[in-house]
Amino acid sequence: MAADGFQHGAFQHTLRTPALFAGVGVHTGAYTRVAVRPGAVNEGIVFVRTDVTDQDNRIPATAEAVCKTQLGTVVGNAGGVTVATIEHLMAALVMLGVDNAVVELDGPEMPIVDGSSEPFVRLLDRAGKRPQGAARRFIQILDTVEVVEGDKRAALKPAHRFEMAFEIRFPTAVIGRQAIDMAMDEGAFRRELADCRTFGFLHEVEALRAMGLARGGSLENCVVIEGDRVLNPEGLRRSDEFVRHKALDAIGDLYVLGAPVIGRFEGELAGHALNNQLVRALLARPHAWRVRTFADEMAEAV
């Protein structure tokens, strides 16, 4: 098990101080205030709807809690209380090594901010981290698990570190075929993926708004494509920003496993739905993975 990047460190970590921010949800358009607070040892990532006071308002970010994957990842509890669009914050949390945190918000959807993970990275950097008195756990992939749906595919394979490979294809010259394949640690996430924004096509945005969705979507938080051109005045942050954002999404979607992954993720035309199918397929095959700590690694090295 490699001890590089976000995987480095034997102990669990939480935030040193709360991270506070606010913004609109990309689909609801609702203005939401958020406080990411320190969490207890082994608590994981828990969302708390502070605007819900008449029933259970806690939603642990687990694979089983994912209840919807259209246009984003939504988690919910047994009482039907939900939080939407968690993936960009989840990606920042796992790649910056935050094991435990309580995310309080007073609305049904996480703010989209600029459509990437970079604002969350800055917030977490300002809040800082502190170690906790328990071993950090990892999900080590022992055998290949794959899900296929038509021409879409997602897989987790054994590897000595966390690796991310993704490929997308769109019939527009702006995107075409794009692929990445890289070892992924905290430094690589900051440099290569964190600033890559969500994207959509103008005709899709118009159709979503007719359905009551994408109410908060704008050129401030989404790369919008019309035909073979990008409508955002500032253009792209990277020529392959699209596939990099899909990889960012996948990292966030994997963190509902409750621990960082030691293994290789491969995605081909995959999205939130297939990512969650893969997570559930992995959990359904307990012999394909194991929970590891650095204490395990040191014991085996002796």
Side-chain angles (χ1 to χ4, degrees):
M1 183 167 66
D4 59 345
F6 84 100
Q7 297 157 3
H8 182 69
F11 294 98
Q12 295 179 27
H13 282 73
T14 189
L15 277 68
R16 187 177 301 277
T17 60
L20 309 176
F21 63 99
V24 299
V26 67
H27 295 302
T28 61
Y31 184 81
T32 303
R33 292 168 294 186
V34 182
V36 186
R37 302 188 184 278
V41 165
N42 295 327
E43 187 171 25
I45 310 302
V46 179
F47 290 86
V48 178
R49 284 279 302 275
T50 59
D51 58 316
V52 175
T53 58
D54 60 344
Q55 65 183 102
D56 182 14
N57 62 358
R58 291 175 60 87
I59 310 163
T62 64
E64 296 78 17
V66 175
C67 58
K68 191 175 180 183
T69 51
Q70 181 191 21
L71 307 173
T73 295
V74 182
V75 290
N77 63 19
V81 179
T82 62
V83 175
T85 320
I86 68 168
E87 58 272 11
H88 302 164
L89 174 62
M90 291 289 283
L93 288 168
V94 65
M95 295 310 302
L96 269 62
V98 177
D99 302 278
N100 306 299
V102 177
V103 184
E104 298 177 350
L105 68 165
D106 63 357
E109 184 179 20
M110 284 292 299
I112 191 65
V113 200
D114 76 344
S116 77
S117 286
E118 191 171 51
F120 302 127
V121 168
R122 292 197 299 267
L123 286 161
L124 295 175
D125 282 345
R126 285 202 292 270
K129 291 188 304 183
R130 62 177 174 85
Q132 298 175 286
R136 172 170 285 162
R137 296 167 298 186
F138 303 87
I139 301 292
Q140 183 181 17
I141 307 302
L142 303 176
D143 194 15
T144 297
V145 176
E146 182 180 62
V147 291
V148 178
E149 191 176 88
D151 58 354
K152 302 174 183 179
R153 182 181 71 90
L156 281 167
K157 299 181 176 181
H160 294 298
R161 57 189 180 183
F162 183 36
E163 299 176 358
M164 174 60 58
F166 216 106
E167 179 179 340
I168 60 173
R169 296 186 295 275
F170 284 88
T172 168
V174 174
I175 304 178
R177 176 190 175 275
Q178 295 185 357
I180 60 166
D181 190 335
M182 60 182 70
M184 187 52 54
D185 59 16
E186 179 179 339
F189 181 75
R190 290 175 179 271
R191 292 189 308 270
E192 307 291 347
L193 300 185
D195 67 342
C196 295
R197 298 162 293 176
T198 192
F199 63 94
F201 294 87
L202 182 61
H203 67 276
E204 293 177 346
V205 173
E206 292 170 341
L208 288 171
R209 285 185 175 159
M211 296 165 55
L213 298 172
R215 291 172 176 171
S218 72
L219 296 177
E220 301 297 318
N221 54 43
C222 181
V223 177
V224 181
I225 303 162
E226 183 182 28
D228 289 331
R229 66 191 182 103
V230 171
L231 298 185
N232 304 62
E234 75 279 13
L236 298 175
R237 293 176 176 174
R238 302 164 187 267
S239 60
D240 59 352
E241 186 171 359
F242 307 101
V243 71
R244 289 171 184 261
H245 182 79
K246 297 290 280 188
L248 183 159
D249 277 347
I251 291 171
D253 288 343
L254 288 177
Y255 200 26
V256 297
L257 284 166
V261 169
I262 305 295
R264 175 179 174 83
F265 175 89
E266 294 180 354
E268 185 176 356
L269 312 183
H272 300 295
L274 209 63
N275 294 342
N276 189 248
Q277 287 179 38
L278 177 63
V279 165
R280 290 172 183 257
L282 179 72
L283 294 177
R285 288 187 54 196
H287 298 298
W289 58 280
R290 61 179 170 177
V291 175
R292 299 283 284 169
T293 67
F294 275 91
D296 298 329
E297 192 76 4
M298 295 301 293
E300 291 185 2
V302 173

